[in-house]
Amino acid sequence: MPIIDNTGKVLGGVGLGRLKPVAAVYDFAVDGGAVGDIPLRGDAVPAGAIIVDALLHVDGALVSANGTAALRAEAAGDIQTAAAATAAPWNGTGPKRASLTATSPPVKTTARRPIVLSIGTAALTAGRFTVVLWVVEL
């Protein structure tokens, strides 16, 4: 279900905002794997949201000769820093933590943004994953 704008927002500093999930999917069979940026299918991160945690579920390991993969919402690698497609967190299936975790400095968006997969060095030839960001809107 897409995220509903303004739901759970902190209103005038009264009370606490609720954590909301923002989820998106990458699937090589649908999205391709060319070097460059691929906006993921799913929710966008609302403007002014603070991203406090990021989880991945890798359904199919990324495959590439020597490519790298990173995830961003606001700036390069802010969700997952660039890592070889053949290395963690991309190389095995199952639930994973992205490099942005609950103990990392949070990320604040300046505009409504999609979650973007940045592929570097060489194209991907396979892979599928879901990313879930936990955000608070101010």
Side-chain angles (χ1 to χ4, degrees), residues 42-68:
D43 300 327
V45 182
I50 297 176
I51 304 167
V52 297
D53 203 358
L55 304 172
L56 300 170
H57 191 278
V58 179
D59 298 304
L62 298 186
V63 178
S64 176
N66 62 349
T68 62

Side-chain angles (χ1 to χ4, degrees), residues 4 8 33 46-48 51 53 56 63 70 72 75 77-79 84 100 109 117 121 132-135:
I4 300 170
I51 304 167
D53 203 358
L56 300 170
V63 178
R72 78 164 188 265
D78 59 3
I79 303 302
L100 174 81
T109 58
L117 171 64
T121 313
V132 178
L133 305 181
W134 289 98
V135 304

